[in-house]
Amino acid sequence: MKKRLCVGIVGLGCVGSAVVKILEDNKEIIRDRAGVEIVIKKAIVRDVEKYQGYPFEISNDLESLVEDTEIDIVIELMGGVEVPYELAKKTLVKQKAFVTANKAMLAYHRYELEQIAQNTPIGFEASVCGGIPVIKALKDGLSANHILSLKGILNGTSNYILTQMFNHNRSFKDALKDAQDLGYAEMNPEFDIKGIDAAHKLLILASLAYGIDARLEEILIEGIEKIEQDDIDFAKEFGYNIKLLGVAKKHKDCIELRVHPSMIKNERMLSKVDGVMNAISIVGDKVGETLYYGAGAGGEATASAVISDIIEIAREKSSLMLGFECPQSLPLKPQESIESAYYVRLLVNDEKGVLSQISAILAQNDISLNNVLQKEISQANRAKILLSTHLTNEKTILNALKELENLSSVLDTPKMIRLITE
Amino acid sequence: MKKRLCVGIVGLGCVGSAVVKILEDNKEIIRDRAGVEIVIKKAIVRDVEKYQGYPFEISNDLESLVEDTEIDIVIELMGGVEVPYELAKKTLVKQKAFVTANKAMLAYHRYELEQIAQNTPIGFEASVCGGIPVIKALKDGLSANHILSLKGILNGTSNYILTQMFNHNRSFKDALKDAQDLGYAEMNPEFDIKGIDAAHKLLILASLAYGIDARLEEILIEGIEKIEQDDIDFAKEFGYNIKLLGVAKKHKDCIELRVHPSMIKNERMLSKVDGVMNAISIVGDKVGETLYYGAGAGGEATASAVISDIIEIAREKSSLMLGFECPQSLPLKPQESIESAYYVRLLVNDEKGVLSQISAILAQNDISLNNVLQKEISQANRAKILLSTHLTNEKTILNALKELENLSSVLDTPKMIRLITE
């Protein structure tokens, strides 16, 4: 069994530098979960001068990476289509594993690579929806199912724009400018807003679900650039949201693939996915609907997916069976020190000064109030006081509740529900 | 390489019989994805008389299953704690893989089993949230991350009851009765409504995330039985929903575990998970929040998870590398025959009869109207007509839009957005 696994990285941009950082930051858990140490041996960049002070070799010689017999896995994070495709072929021919975040390249060349790879692993979790492990869900989690359909919000930029238009009445033009100012959209945002990026991802997902070798040029693709306020008004009036969806659907004798803005009923989970977030709803013939939600882009989220592929490949090589994490030395937090905000329900005599008595007790216990609602009860001169607090802890709230119960104006044991504030 | 893998099943109840059915229904894809054929050799039931006509041996001799040298994987779907634990130990000692859906047993004995197993696989995807592949997400998809926290709606019965109370103003008692009538709750629903079932699942998830060996008796557990209409009113007033959550959280020097009803802000995806559905939100230090949603119970959903474990174990034994599905013979559906409902936006002269002209054209094209909204435009005697249709197809709608555009009263190219109706 190997003690370490050497990787070579092509590209040290946003995702590449995050891969380097996470492999260092989370070195221990990654080693434990991989069964071997993961070591970066070399990185390939265009301009070597710009990258100084890394604890591994920096080079601009792509060929040297493939030729290096010590390197077990090549990680392609350079972008483009034909150059990374050539790199992938050379890597796989040398029986080195290949990991990529490159959806455009896979949209065109996935089956050629699959053919060349034979039994050499190709990892591409990062190519679809960044940090969401949807490729693994399709390959592993749902493996007992025929996939009946999948529908995904696959592009964060267009989802951000649509959310701004829908929730904040921004025009398409203004929302696009917001996205560019925030760095969510490229200066040339065509791929995002015209649905091309989503279509790349849809093709990859459809290949996993259905084995269909469709081309970008063959499928129905529409962008979000023609959506106007009227459309949003109509959607709101009749209970819809508007999202750019990639849709794949199995029919008896064919597979349907399409990318376009869609009106989705408010009851559906997908309609609630806002901002730059992505989500994919998958319907299996046995499991029914499952949905996967998370950050679809961003350096660290995408790098998290890249590294999950590296770990999976390493495990296969190290024959590690992964069960429960080893018990760590961390103990269970004592119940009384658990922090939360709280909602409290009190049944009281509806008499002068009762709310002031209650708030005095809370204040003495260093608990600050957030919301209060007083409800009269028609009969019997009673009232309910419903309140929520800011953050405190179990010991403090339980103590305060006991003191409240002892008040003569409080008629019943106070009831409490915890609030989730983060 | 083995050509087939033999499994023995203990228990042919709701989940067990679904495992048998799916292994038969989806035999081809399961064989392709596993790399070997999966064959049921024997099932163990209490009352042999009740189970006739299966194409495998039915027996009530648990011991015989473990002793059978042909059986590679034992699938435990019997329930209980100590008997399945003994079975698991015997199975693992014989170096047979062990797959279980038994959360209660794992909540108590997971680390003992892990110790005995050494490198023999234990599959337990089905033990937490049925068909949602959250165990695989924690083990594989998020493997590059320290888990900062996880929050889950882990019990479908209590979520159904809370949804009935929150959305349909049912009392706790009535909602519980609904759940029992629909088969969502056991006649003895204590485990569900008191949070015990959710706590079992939380302990398993926390073991994967943190390696903590906590006991049910040590953690904060509260059920949903004390929630009243007043609490729901308060939640609605201040923008919350109420859900039974299992929460695990990493602190610097300890792990926090708790199960209780929680008020969650409406903006959070978790607050939108209704009915019997489950969902788990997991925050990783690198990937941020990801969320997993689906059916948490039910025979086929749970069996889907059991079989995904069997396939994973088979793959390890068969050294199958899984990439894209093999291209199948199914072609891409032609764009013009794709079916959808449509929303259409028209700019028209605000004159008599224009809506009737428009609806006539739609009717001639066999397109039936769903919703219509007419908007006056103050200046220039114009109006907008926004409408949605029932199901039709691309060819038909595009043809109708062309005819509409040719009307003298229609002033601009009609705009169209597709509706998601299923």
Side-chain angles (χ1 to χ4, degrees):
Chain A
M1 189 179 124
K2 288 186 85 163
K3 282 275 186 306
R4 46 178 248 166
L5 210 69
C6 282
V7 304
I9 301 181
V10 185
L12 285 180
C14 171
V15 179
S17 57
V19 168
V20 174
K21 182 171 184 299
I22 297 177
L23 283 176
E24 179 57 34
D25 285 356
N26 289 356
K27 187 187 277 195
E28 286 78 19
I29 53 164
I30 290 171
R31 187 196 51 222
D32 291 351
R33 293 170 184 175
V36 293
E37 189 145 3
I38 310 292
V39 180
I40 302 174
K41 198 189 167 202
K42 191 188 257 193
I44 306 296
V45 296
R46 199 170 297 172
D47 183 359
V48 174
E49 299 302 314
K50 273 170 61 188
Y51 298 86
Q52 302 292 329
Y54 284 95
F56 45 80
E57 195 189 332
I58 303 279
S59 156
N60 55 14
D61 180 3
L62 202 53
E63 215 62 37
S64 72
L65 199 69
V66 182
E67 296 301 327
D68 190 328
T69 52
E70 274 186 16
I71 286 177
D72 305 287
I73 308 178
V74 170
I75 303 166
E76 185 271 305
L77 304 168
M78 68 199 298
V81 173
E82 294 311 320
V83 179
Y85 174 49
E86 291 304 317
L87 173 68
K89 283 196 287 188
K90 286 179 189 162
T91 303
L92 292 167
V93 163
K94 296 267 180 195
Q95 293 181 306
K96 293 179 195 305
F98 184 73
V99 174
T100 181
N102 192 326
K103 50 204 159 272
M105 188 268 282
L106 290 174
Y108 284 101
H109 296 299
R110 60 202 181 283
Y111 283 109
E112 287 108 311
L113 289 187
E114 185 77 8
Q115 292 264 310
I116 298 165
Q118 305 285 347
N119 249 355
T120 305
I122 305 177
F124 52 97
E125 181 64 71
S127 68
V128 177
C129 296
I132 310 173
V134 63
I135 301 288
K136 289 186 174 55
L138 275 171
K139 280 167 65 171
D140 304 329
L142 306 178
S143 55
N145 293 264
H146 287 283
I147 304 302
L148 302 182
S149 70
L150 62 87
K151 299 186 179 70
I153 295 172
L154 305 174
N155 181 272
T157 307
S158 54
N159 202 44
Y160 175 83
I161 292 171
L162 288 174
T163 303
Q164 288 295 106
M165 292 172 70
F166 202 92
N167 295 357
H168 307 290
N169 296 314
R170 304 280 289 167
S171 70
F172 172 76
K173 222 176 112 185
D174 291 346
L176 172 59
K177 195 168 173 311
D178 294 348
Q180 287 172 324
D181 291 347
L182 288 164
Y184 295 150
E186 311 278 331
M187 278 307 120
N188 179 353
E190 300 260 298
F191 265 41
D192 292 322
I193 63 176
K194 293 204 161 164
I196 308 296
D197 176 76
H200 286 152
K201 294 167 185 165
L202 180 68
L203 287 173
I204 295 171
L205 293 172
S207 297
L208 285 163
Y210 304 118
I212 186 166
D213 188 9
R215 302 271 131 182
L216 198 73
E217 296 72 19
E218 298 173 290
I219 71 175
L220 195 168
I221 305 176
E222 270 184 33
I224 61 169
E225 65 274 24
K226 286 181 199 145
I227 291 171
E228 293 188 3
Q229 195 56 45
D230 292 320
D231 311 329
I232 289 169
D233 292 346
F234 180 92
K236 285 182 177 167
E237 178 68 29
F238 294 107
Y240 294 98
N241 205 322
I242 302 182
K243 298 291 177 191
L244 180 69
L245 284 197
V247 177
K249 209 162 135 188
K250 188 177 193 302
H251 296 275
K252 206 168 151 250
D253 52 2
C254 62
I255 305 296
E256 176 179 324
L257 299 180
R258 46 191 170 114
V259 174
H260 52 70
S262 309
M263 290 201 189
I264 317 174
K265 277 280 177 195
N266 287 338
E267 300 83 62
R268 302 288 299 271
M269 290 288 285
L270 274 181
S271 79
K272 305 167 204 290
V273 175
D274 282 338
V276 291
M277 302 308 274
N278 284 191
I280 306 101
S281 157
I282 305 177
V283 180
D285 64 343
K286 299 303 177 185
V287 73
E289 183 189 11
T290 57
L291 178 138
Y292 309 84
Y293 164 92
E300 294 214 324
T302 308
S304 162
V306 168
I307 295 174
S308 77
D309 277 345
I310 299 175
I311 292 172
E312 192 176 344
I313 292 165
R315 259 185 226 159
E316 279 156 9
K317 290 189 190 284
S318 66
S319 304
L320 182 72
M321 290 287 159
L322 211 77
F324 298 100
E325 289 271 312
C326 293
Q328 297 174 337
S329 49
L330 286 189
L332 188 66
K333 191 176 178 78
Q335 293 188 26
E336 59 172 31
S337 65
I338 289 176
E339 292 200 331
S340 181
Y342 298 85
Y343 152 86
V344 176
R345 162 165 43 98
L346 298 161
L347 180 65
V348 298
N349 268 326
D350 194 7
E351 60 193 30
K352 229 201 256 174
V354 57
L355 187 57
S356 107
Q357 290 176 333
I358 290 167
S359 34
I361 286 181
L362 293 172
Q364 284 154 27
N365 281 280
D366 213 17
I367 296 171
S368 71
L369 271 170
N370 187 4
N371 296 124
V372 182
L373 206 65
Q374 181 152 350
K375 282 183 151 186
E376 308 300 317
I377 300 176
S378 49
Q379 88 287 36
N381 199 33
R382 290 171 172 195
K384 284 174 186 165
I385 292 177
L386 317 177
L387 60 90
S388 64
T389 76
H390 287 289
L391 221 55
T392 176
N393 66 34
E394 289 284 313
K395 185 178 180 178
T396 310
I397 193 79
L398 292 176
N399 195 47
L401 292 181
K402 220 172 282 170
E403 290 182 28
L404 288 173
E405 190 169 0
N406 288 336
L407 281 177
S408 63
S409 51
V410 170
L411 302 171
D412 199 0
T413 307
K415 303 296 182 300
M416 172 264 280
I417 298 178
R418 293 165 190 85
L419 266 64
I420 298 294
T421 50
E422 56 188 274
Chain B
M1 189 179 122
K2 289 185 86 161
K3 283 275 186 309
R4 47 180 247 166
L5 211 69
C6 282
V7 303
I9 300 181
V10 185
L12 285 180
C14 172
V15 179
S17 58
V19 167
V20 175
K21 181 171 187 298
I22 297 177
L23 283 176
E24 179 58 33
D25 285 354
N26 289 355
K27 187 186 275 194
E28 286 78 18
I29 54 164
I30 290 171
R31 186 195 52 221
D32 291 350
R33 293 170 184 176
V36 293
E37 190 145 3
I38 310 292
V39 179
I40 303 174
K41 195 185 168 204
K42 190 188 258 195
I44 307 294
V45 297
R46 199 170 298 171
D47 182 359
V48 174
E49 298 303 312
K50 272 171 60 186
Y51 298 87
Q52 302 291 330
Y54 285 93
F56 45 81
E57 194 190 333
I58 303 277
S59 155
N60 57 11
D61 180 4
L62 202 53
E63 215 63 35
S64 72
L65 198 71
V66 183
E67 296 302 327
D68 190 327
T69 52
E70 273 186 15
I71 286 177
D72 304 287
I73 308 178
V74 170
I75 302 167
E76 184 271 304
L77 304 167
M78 68 200 295
V81 173
E82 293 311 319
V83 179
Y85 173 50
E86 290 305 317
L87 173 68
K89 283 196 287 189
K90 286 180 189 159
T91 303
L92 293 167
V93 164
K94 296 265 181 198
Q95 292 181 308
K96 293 180 196 301
F98 183 74
V99 173
T100 181
N102 191 325
K103 49 205 161 270
M105 188 267 282
L106 290 174
Y108 284 100
H109 296 300
R110 61 202 181 282
Y111 283 109
E112 287 110 310
L113 288 187
E114 185 76 10
Q115 291 264 311
I116 298 164
Q118 304 287 345
N119 249 355
T120 305
I122 306 176
F124 52 97
E125 183 63 72
S127 68
V128 178
C129 296
I132 310 173
V134 64
I135 300 288
K136 289 188 174 53
L138 275 171
K139 280 167 65 170
D140 303 330
L142 305 178
S143 55
N145 293 263
H146 287 283
I147 304 303
L148 302 182
S149 71
L150 63 87
K151 300 186 180 71
I153 295 172
L154 305 175
N155 181 271
T157 307
S158 54
N159 202 44
Y160 175 83
I161 292 171
L162 289 174
T163 302
Q164 287 296 104
M165 293 173 72
F166 202 92
N167 296 357
H168 307 289
N169 296 315
R170 304 281 288 167
S171 69
F172 172 77
K173 223 177 113 186
D174 291 344
L176 171 59
K177 192 168 176 309
D178 294 348
Q180 286 171 325
D181 291 347
L182 288 164
Y184 295 151
E186 311 278 330
M187 278 308 120
N188 179 353
E190 300 262 298
F191 266 40
D192 293 321
I193 63 176
K194 292 204 162 165
I196 308 295
D197 176 75
H200 286 152
K201 295 168 184 164
L202 181 68
L203 286 173
I204 295 171
L205 293 172
S207 297
L208 285 162
Y210 305 119
I212 187 166
D213 188 10
R215 301 271 131 183
L216 199 73
E217 296 72 20
E218 297 173 290
I219 71 174
L220 194 168
I221 305 175
E222 269 184 34
I224 60 168
E225 64 275 26
K226 286 179 199 147
I227 292 171
E228 294 190 2
Q229 195 56 45
D230 292 320
D231 311 329
I232 289 170
D233 292 345
F234 181 92
K236 285 183 177 167
E237 177 70 29
F238 295 107
Y240 293 97
N241 205 323
I242 302 181
K243 298 291 178 190
L244 180 69
L245 285 195
V247 177
K249 210 162 135 187
K250 187 178 193 300
H251 295 274
K252 207 167 150 251
D253 51 4
C254 62
I255 305 296
E256 178 179 322
L257 299 180
R258 47 192 170 113
V259 174
H260 52 69
S262 309
M263 291 201 189
I264 318 175
K265 277 279 177 195
N266 287 338
E267 300 84 62
R268 302 287 299 273
M269 290 287 285
L270 274 181
S271 79
K272 305 170 204 291
V273 175
D274 282 339
V276 290
M277 302 306 276
N278 285 192
I280 307 101
S281 157
I282 305 178
V283 180
D285 63 343
K286 301 302 177 185
V287 75
E289 184 189 10
T290 55
L291 178 138
Y292 308 84
Y293 165 93
E300 294 214 324
T302 308
S304 162
V306 168
I307 295 174
S308 77
D309 277 345
I310 299 174
I311 291 173
E312 193 178 343
I313 291 165
R315 258 185 226 158
E316 279 155 7
K317 289 189 192 283
S318 66
S319 304
L320 181 72
M321 291 286 158
L322 210 77
F324 297 100
E325 288 274 312
C326 293
Q328 297 175 337
S329 50
L330 287 189
L332 188 67
K333 189 176 179 78
Q335 292 188 28
E336 59 173 31
S337 65
I338 289 176
E339 292 202 331
S340 181
Y342 297 85
Y343 153 85
V344 176
R345 162 165 43 96
L346 298 162
L347 180 65
V348 298
N349 269 325
D350 194 6
E351 60 192 31
K352 230 200 257 172
V354 56
L355 187 57
S356 105
Q357 291 176 332
I358 290 168
S359 32
I361 287 183
L362 293 174
Q364 283 154 26
N365 282 280
D366 214 16
I367 297 170
S368 70
L369 271 170
N370 188 2
N371 296 124
V372 182
L373 206 64
Q374 180 150 351
K375 282 183 151 188
E376 308 301 316
I377 300 176
S378 48
Q379 88 288 35
N381 199 32
R382 290 170 172 197
K384 285 173 185 166
I385 292 177
L386 317 177
L387 59 89
S388 62
T389 76
H390 287 290
L391 222 54
T392 175
N393 67 32
E394 290 283 314
K395 185 178 180 179
T396 310
I397 192 79
L398 292 176
N399 195 48
L401 293 182
K402 222 173 281 171
E403 290 181 28
L404 288 173
E405 191 170 359
N406 288 338
L407 281 178
S408 62
S409 52
V410 170
L411 301 171
D412 200 359
T413 307
K415 303 294 181 301
M416 171 264 279
I417 299 178
R418 292 164 191 85
L419 267 64
I420 298 293
T421 49
E422 58 191 273

